Amino acid sequence: KPNLEKAWAYFEHVALDRYIAQDGPKAKKDICRRVIRKFQKGDKKLEKAEPGENDVKTKLYSPIFTPHGQLGDFGLGIGL
């Protein structure tokens, strides 16, 4: 029997590009501080996870906060 939740989980973890998440302090901050912090980490190199990676925690690449130098990983024209 088809299961939409399982299909979406497969799509999200295999088809979409993800990076290995670095655990950091999780303090609740207002939206302005979170955005500023994201932009300050703009030159940080994100380690790309293999499709289907489930041994370590991964996150989806953010279309806004992914460093410009790594946008080429998504194909021609994304970094333009």
Side-chain angles (χ1 to χ4, degrees):
K1 183 175 182 181
N3 186 334
L4 185 59
E5 289 178 17
K6 287 183 181 180
W8 182 255
Y10 176 83
F11 173 73
E12 189 174 297
H13 287 276
V14 176
L16 298 178
D17 287 324
R18 301 176 72 83
Y19 68 95
I20 296 176
Q22 304 292 329
D23 290 333
K26 293 196 175 193
K28 292 208 172 200
K29 298 178 182 168
D30 64 355
I31 188 74
C32 292
R33 287 182 189 235
R34 291 192 322 209
V35 169
I36 290 170
R37 187 168 181 206
K38 288 274 193 181
F39 277 114
Q40 288 173 342
K41 293 183 176 183
D43 59 346
K44 184 177 178 183
K45 176 87 170 141
L46 301 174
E47 186 178 348
K48 188 173 180 180
E50 293 296 320
E53 178 72 58
N54 59 5
D55 294 335
V56 295
K57 185 177 179 182
T58 61
K59 291 185 179 179
L60 291 171
Y61 279 100
S62 168
I64 304 296
F65 299 114
T66 301
H68 186 264
Q70 288 188 272
L71 290 176
D73 295 344
F74 299 104
L76 184 63
I78 299 296
L80 293 177

